[in-house]
Amino acid sequence: MSTNLQPGLPGLLSATALPAARTAAPISLLALTTIPVGDQPVGVAVAANGIAYVTNYLSNDVTVINTATDTVVGVPIPVGTAPVGVAIAANGKAYVANSGSNDVTVIDTTTNTVVGVPIPVGLTPIGVAIAPNGNAYVTNTGDNTVTVINTATDTVVGGPILVGNFPYAVAVAPNGNAYVTNSSDSTVTVINTVTNTVVGAPIPVGAGPDGVAIAPNGNAYVSGFSSNNVTVINTVTNTVVGAPIPVGTGPTGLAVAPNGKAYVANYVSNDVTVIDTNTNTVVCTPIPVGTNPFAVAVAPNGKIYVANQGSSDVSVIPPFPTLTSISPNQGPTTGGTPVTLLGTNLTGATVTIGGNPATGVDVNPGGTAIHAFTPAGALGPATVTVTTDGGCASLVNGFTYVSASHATSLTATPALAKLFPPHVYFPFLTATLKDLVTGLPVPGQTITFKTGTQVLGTALTDAQGTAKLDETLTFPLILAHGGYDATFAGTGTLLPSSAHGEVLTP
């Protein structure tokens, strides 16, 4: 087997074959929550109740984490020798592949205790996944097979299934097919989990495939450790979709969230790449995590858990943010327009508009709204982007910069009926606002009506730029002051204006 395909498992490689990243890569200064666990964590899975299980390769145990509080629960659970992969079955049991003792430990996730005796499997078991029929599929790198376990009885089903060279990770698609990465062959073997037979020829993928995960759209995503990319497989046709997606250096484990974002752990570059599986494009910049990230899992609360082998901890990535609107959606090129952005998972966000940082950014406690002031920008549309520790979200051309000062005019009608020629104004006061630069009426603006020092009321301009106020009760006051005044206070892009409405007598 190639020594560069298994980047982080002592015992599978000689000491001289371990990559320099184990000792040379610096630990990033993180804003993320970091949870210390056992010695060299290399696997992680999250149960439906939100409890995460982390396999610690060198301490031969499993750390339990409450993902609601991001705290360790109880003491580590002893398992077999050199545990790697872990998966949670629908019956609530966790299955841990022990690469050094060639068996699988079963944990009851209700009591966090080991169930029965370890289940013997093939040589050097690494990956484990659960099929819809409840069977667990375990990859055995030492003898190029997959062992099938009935999770109802915790017994091995039939004989081992022969796959490619150095089978590593496994994931099961909604159609029941299991996808096994063969690291030494740079292929993926497909297994029909109903018949437990291999389907078709192996699928060529990137060099040294380590991780595999299934997206909500049914596609399989395979990380190529040596080619630094991710291959996409259509699980209906078992064919490769498009070109490989470049990611960080040394991608290993990956997981896909229900929102379709795939998280790829890059073992050598110490970060996580996020892929939008709807477009198969990388979104945002990589997220720095701990040293030598190896495995990734998504919790029901949307948080992402990354097992960092080199730093013996777990990084917690917040849920991916969304951005749904910005209001107002236009303002002057000089900046300074107060805006409100709505979305989800916005806690800790920074905001850029047209690539320039907004000022006065304030996020509400629920992370659903941001109040900020626009920066100066170039005339025309600009993309609005929010960035958090969990990723980024954008409204393409969501804000439009306009000229800073458009003069306006306001015209007001008289306050009484004109008899000759016949023209009725009473019983409404009306004022019409116009943009003198564009020559167009201005809708949606507030006009204030006053007589003397008395405010008669306010009204919004309609599509024709006209605001209308009922004067039935206030006409005697208007008559006493010889008319009324209509004023427009102005906005960031429109200058203020005013007009006087006279009193006409019959």
Side-chain angles (χ1 to χ4, degrees):
M1 77 184 160
S2 300
T3 58
N4 66 341
L5 297 182
Q6 310 310 321
L9 298 180
L12 296 186
L13 300 176
S14 66
T16 56
L18 290 174
R22 285 291 305 277
T23 55
I27 298 176
S28 303
L29 296 176
L30 304 177
L32 304 179
T33 297
T34 302
I35 306 170
V37 291
D39 196 352
Q40 294 201 8
V42 291
V44 58
V46 185
N49 60 5
I51 303 299
Y53 293 80
V54 181
T55 59
N56 303 304
Y57 185 85
L58 283 190
S59 51
N60 301 324
D61 54 27
V62 170
T63 299
V64 182
I65 297 173
N66 183 327
T67 63
T69 60
D70 289 333
T71 54
V72 171
V73 177
V75 298
I77 304 170
V79 290
T81 305
V84 184
V86 55
I88 315 294
N91 59 14
K93 291 186 289 187
Y95 290 77
V96 179
N98 304 306
S99 65
S101 50
N102 300 324
D103 53 30
V104 169
T105 298
V106 183
I107 298 172
D108 184 334
T109 62
T110 303
T111 61
N112 287 333
T113 56
V114 172
V115 177
V117 297
I119 305 168
V121 290
L123 297 178
T124 322
I126 296 294
V128 57
I130 312 298
N133 60 14
N135 287 343
Y137 288 75
V138 182
T139 59
N140 305 302
T141 62
D143 57 16
N144 301 330
T145 64
V146 170
T147 298
V148 184
I149 298 173
N150 182 322
T151 61
T153 61
D154 289 336
T155 56
V156 172
V157 176
I161 304 168
L162 186 65
V163 290
N165 289 322
F166 218 92
Y168 202 75
V170 57
V172 182
N175 60 12
N177 284 347
Y179 291 77
V180 178
T181 61
N182 304 305
S183 288
S184 289
D185 292 345
S186 297
T187 62
V188 167
T189 295
V190 183
I191 298 173
N192 182 323
T193 62
V194 176
T195 62
N196 287 332
T197 55
V198 171
V199 177
I203 304 168
V205 291
D210 272 359
V212 58
I214 310 298
N217 59 16
N219 287 345
Y221 288 74
V222 180
S223 60
F225 178 81
S226 299
S227 53
N228 302 323
N229 56 26
V230 169
T231 299
V232 184
I233 298 173
N234 182 321
T235 61
V236 175
T237 60
N238 288 331
T239 55
V240 171
V241 177
I245 305 167
V247 291
T249 308
T252 51
L254 70 164
V256 185
N259 63 5
K261 299 298 187 297
Y263 294 80
V264 184
N266 301 306
Y267 183 86
V268 177
S269 53
N270 298 329
D271 52 30
V272 168
T273 298
V274 183
I275 297 172
D276 186 337
T277 63
N278 295 309
T279 60
N280 287 336
T281 55
V282 172
V283 293
C284 316
T285 57
I287 302 170
V289 289
T291 304
N292 306 136
F294 199 86
V296 188
V298 181
N301 59 14
K303 291 188 288 187
I304 314 302
Y305 290 77
V306 183
N308 304 305
Q309 183 192 356
S311 49
S312 293
D313 54 30
V314 169
S315 296
V316 183
I317 300 175
F320 203 85
T322 67
L323 184 59
T324 56
S325 67
I326 180 172
S327 179
N329 60 6
Q330 67 174 22
T333 55
T334 52
T337 302
V339 291
T340 298
L341 298 86
L342 299 181
T344 60
N345 304 322
L346 300 175
T347 300
T350 59
V351 180
T352 60
I353 301 178
N356 300 313
T359 59
V361 176
D362 181 53
V363 185
N364 73 340
T368 58
I370 298 175
H371 300 288
F373 294 90
T374 62
L379 192 68
T383 295
V384 181
T385 300
V386 294
T387 302
T388 72
D389 290 336
C392 63
S394 297
L395 295 173
V396 177
N397 297 334
F399 187 84
T400 301
Y401 282 104
V402 296
S403 297
S405 55
H406 283 204
T408 62
S409 69
L410 195 64
T411 56
T413 58
L416 187 62
K418 185 177 181 181
L419 298 185
F420 302 103
H423 198 127
V424 178
Y425 298 104
F426 187 84
F428 292 104
L429 306 177
T430 58
T432 300
L433 182 65
K434 185 178 181 180
D435 185 328
L436 294 181
V437 175
T438 64
L440 299 174
V442 183
Q445 301 298 325
T446 300
I447 307 299
T448 301
F449 295 87
K450 296 175 61 177
T451 183
T453 59
Q454 179 70 42
V455 175
L456 304 175
T458 61
L460 287 177
T461 55
D462 58 18
Q464 287 71 46
T466 299
K468 182 182 292 187
L469 185 73
D470 192 327
E471 63 165 331
T472 304
L473 300 179
T474 58
F475 179 71
L477 191 60
I478 296 170
L479 186 61
H481 286 89
Y484 69 96
D485 294 301
T487 59
F488 168 58
T491 67
T493 58
L494 298 171
L495 295 177
S497 55
S498 62
H500 179 72
E502 59 182 350
V503 174
L504 295 181
T505 56

